[in-house]
Every structure is written in structure tokens, then in C-alpha cells.
Amino acid sequence: MRRVLLLMPILLWAGAATAADVWTYFADPAGAFTIAVPATPVTQTAQLPGPNGKKLTQASYIVERGNGALVVVVIDLTPLPDNPRALDDAVGNVKGAAASGLSDTPIAQDGLKGHDIRFKDKDGNQFEDRMFYAGRKIYQVMTVEASGIDAASHAVGQRFLASMHFIKH
């Protein structure tokens, strides 16, 4: 009996480590994408000012972490005339937030061309922001990490970024 009691803390610790690594897939309400998340994202919506007084809807899906956040942002551009430069314009806006370490690498995901933008803000937070344009919407999947983040936490962000898949576009 004593042997069983000694094993219980070890088994409970092993179970806790496994439970902490449970990820599920989140699908946006429009069915445009899925992404793996370690917790249920908090949904936020906002109205953004667009050109000529038009309002743009932004939906954000956020998983807060102690040392950063995992975020997907969808900006609906359908109130505006179609603009083939919409993605480039959005990329320019993101680059404007960079204080240092700016890089912009072309990427492709599920047939969509996009940008992988990495930078640090003025507070030293590290961003990796993958941006795409599809169906008159800007999609951003990004990680925000505090300065000096450990390798395991960085790996969580990379897993999140790699799991984004577009269903329809």
C-alpha cells in the first residue's frame, strides 16, 4: 500500500503535464480558417474607421499567456472598393509599429501568398505577424512574446502559427 501512495504524486504530476499540453482546433464563425489553440480564445470585435467614413469590422481571437499572447485578427474590408494593394497597405501599417529587428519574408499558406513580419516594439516585446488577404479580408495570425521569453514558450507560439489553415478563400 505504501508503494502505491508513493507512486500517486508521480502519476498525478505526469497527468498534469499531459493535460497542460492539450490543444484544440478553433474555427472562426465564418468558416474561413482553423487554428490550434491551447485554450479557448476570447473573442473581441471593434469598429475601425476606414476611408471616406466607412466602418470596418475587426474580429480578434486572443489566447492570453503569462509571457505574451496568441492572436488571430480578421479585418473585413467588404465595405470598401476592392483594392489589390490592401495587403501591402496593411503590411505597411504593421511595419510602422516596429522599433527594431524588422524583417518581412514572403510566405504561402494553403494557396494564399502572404507576409511573415517579425519585429520588436518600443517595449522590447517580440512580434511575429503572418498576414494574408482573402475574400476581401485581412487575416493576421500572430504571436506577441515578452522580451527574454524561454524556448518552451517560444515553441508554443511557433506551434500556434504553424497550425493556421484556410478552409475557404
Side-chain angles (χ1 to χ4, degrees):
M1 182 68 168
R2 183 174 170 98
R3 177 178 284 162
V4 171
L5 291 176
L6 290 174
L7 286 175
M8 284 299 278
I10 293 170
L11 293 174
L12 289 173
W13 176 80
T18 302
D21 196 37
V22 174
W23 287 56
T24 59
Y25 274 89
F26 170 78
D28 76 308
F33 69 86
T34 62
I35 193 160
V37 290
T40 303
V42 173
T43 301
Q44 298 176 352
T45 57
Q47 296 297 310
L48 305 176
N52 300 323
K54 304 276 187 180
K55 295 287 185 194
L56 306 177
T57 301
Q58 174 181 297
S60 301
Y61 309 99
I62 305 165
V63 176
E64 291 281 347
R65 300 168 47 219
N67 52 5
L70 310 172
V71 183
V72 177
V73 174
V74 181
I75 302 173
D76 185 354
L77 302 177
T78 55
L80 304 176
D82 195 16
N83 177 1
R85 293 199 37 83
L87 182 59
D88 292 333
D89 292 346
V91 166
N93 289 337
V94 168
K95 287 180 176 181
S100 67
L102 178 64
S103 70
D104 180 359
T105 306
I107 58 172
Q109 179 73 40
D110 301 319
L112 295 175
K113 292 180 181 178
H115 295 258
D116 184 358
I117 305 162
R118 298 172 191 221
F119 65 95
K120 289 185 181 181
D121 68 7
K122 63 180 177 49
D123 297 322
N125 296 310
Q126 302 172 74
F127 289 76
E128 183 168 355
D129 189 348
R130 296 182 180 178
M131 300 181 72
F132 304 91
Y133 178 72
R136 311 244 343 246
K137 295 181 181 178
I138 297 288
Y139 293 89
Q140 293 178 261
V141 56
M142 72 182 92
T143 59
V144 182
E145 299 174 340
S147 180
I149 192 166
D150 62 273
S153 293
H154 181 71
V156 167
Q158 293 305 299
R159 179 177 177 182
F160 171 76
L161 291 169
S163 72
M164 176 75 160
H165 289 286
F166 290 95
I167 310 279
K168 61 180 182 179
H169 47 86

